[in-house]
Amino acid sequence: MNLLILGSGTGIPMADRASPALVLTSMDRPVLFDIGPGTLRQLARVGISHERIGRVFITHYHPDHTADLVHFLFATRNPPVLARREPFTLVAPKGLAAFLEGLESAYCDWIRIPGHIMKLQELGTETEERRTYEGFHLVSRPTPHTVRSLAYRVTSSSSGKSFVYTGDTGFSTELAEFATGCDLLITEASFPEGREMEGHLTPSLAGRIAALAGVPRLVLTHFYPEVLGTDIVSQCRKTFHGEIVLGRDRLHITV
């Protein structure tokens, strides 16, 4: 599986880090995980048309993970695009339909996509759920961030390789169990040691989850300016001794 980090930042605007988004490029149609502000522009920069996206998985509803959904729907609603658009699916925690209704109440027909083109799937936020899609299997589980936050575990149907993308999360031994046995863990490292925030991870807490899960590789992302001014790897190395990769925009990852 081939992954590309489109946005390694947060909701704080930075010149070199877009808001959260990750794209799985090795499927017949690319798969997005989160769609923060600027995602469509990042896709264009790496040569992926928004028209090719087959599925969008949303971890939670904070603006830095969802704001470009408006842009995505508006671009899709363009008549020439809509006329040729293959069906796509939005997958998100419970509440997706109501979330879209709220957006449509503000933007009306400008972002309203016909039902035969846009499909919706809501996943539960209390227990794990399993789905099978073309090319991969997916398991979701709740994370300690908001009441509607999910992590995703993706396993290739052909190779059996797997990765876990947590989205935003606080520390959780259950999340470590969820990631056990995966080939790659992609999680956040929002704030430095000594400046912890509830519902987020420091590098050492991210490392602790990776160590408990026994994963060989850990990719850190979702960096606030405060943590970028510190030695992220050294903090993470206190708890994790596998491979550490600092996420950056347009970083290619092979699983």
Side-chain angles (χ1 to χ4, degrees):
M1 290 187 288
N2 296 313
L3 296 162
L4 180 61
I5 294 178
L6 298 173
S8 58
T10 62
I12 305 300
M14 288 185 274
D16 58 344
R17 293 185 185 272
S19 293
L22 174 74
V23 61
L24 176 60
T25 61
S26 50
M27 302 295 116
D28 288 340
R29 298 174 64 194
V31 178
L32 269 180
F33 291 86
D34 284 333
I35 186 166
T39 296
L40 265 64
R41 181 174 181 272
Q42 293 290 82
L43 285 170
R45 292 182 71 187
V46 298
I48 299 175
S49 170
H50 68 89
E51 296 182 43
R52 293 184 54 222
I53 298 298
R55 291 184 176 84
V56 180
F57 290 89
I58 293 171
T59 59
H60 63 291
Y61 295 107
H62 281 164
D64 59 328
H65 292 254
T66 60
D68 233 29
L69 182 59
V70 171
H71 186 186
F72 178 73
L73 298 178
F74 185 52
T76 301
R77 188 66 177 80
N78 183 276
V81 175
L82 197 59
R84 62 178 178 260
R85 187 59 159 97
E86 292 186 40
F88 64 90
T89 305
L90 302 182
V91 187
K94 183 179 179 181
L96 176 60
F99 181 73
L100 287 173
E101 286 176 9
L103 293 179
E104 289 182 5
S105 70
Y107 293 101
C108 304
D109 288 344
W110 297 112
I111 63 167
R112 190 168 290 127
I113 308 300
H116 69 280
I117 294 178
M118 182 175 73
K119 308 296 183 182
L120 306 182
Q121 290 184 359
E122 296 190 356
L123 300 175
T125 55
E126 296 182 1
T127 59
E128 290 187 6
E129 293 206 19
R130 298 175 182 271
R131 297 285 189 276
T132 297
Y133 301 98
E134 184 178 355
F136 64 95
H137 305 286
L138 179 135
V139 186
S140 64
R141 75 152 293 121
T143 64
H145 182 61
T146 71
V147 295
R148 294 182 295 175
S149 295
L150 296 176
Y152 295 113
R153 180 168 180 149
V154 178
T155 303
S156 169
S157 301
S158 57
S159 70
K161 297 285 188 178
S162 62
F163 71 89
V164 168
Y165 173 58
T166 69
D168 291 5
T169 184
F171 179 79
S172 164
T173 55
E174 291 79 12
L175 188 56
E177 292 173 5
F178 181 67
T180 297
C182 75
D183 298 281
L184 176 71
L185 173 61
I186 306 170
T187 193
E188 66 142 91
S190 293
F191 297 100
E193 311 304 315
R195 300 187 66 177
E196 294 83 354
M197 292 284 291
E198 185 177 357
H200 287 290
L201 297 175
T202 62
S204 67
L205 287 175
R208 187 178 170 198
I209 290 175
L212 289 171
V215 300
R217 282 200 296 165
L218 171 64
V219 175
L220 300 177
T221 187
H222 199 266
F223 300 126
Y224 276 89
E226 294 92 327
V227 76
L228 287 170
T230 67
D231 188 339
I232 297 171
V233 171
S234 292
Q235 295 172 66
C236 187
R237 191 60 75 196
K238 294 176 182 178
T239 54
F240 179 66
H241 301 292
E243 181 182 352
I244 300 170
V245 178
L246 297 184
R248 64 179 187 276
D249 289 14
R250 296 189 286 170
L251 173 67
H252 289 264
I253 306 166
T254 300
V255 183

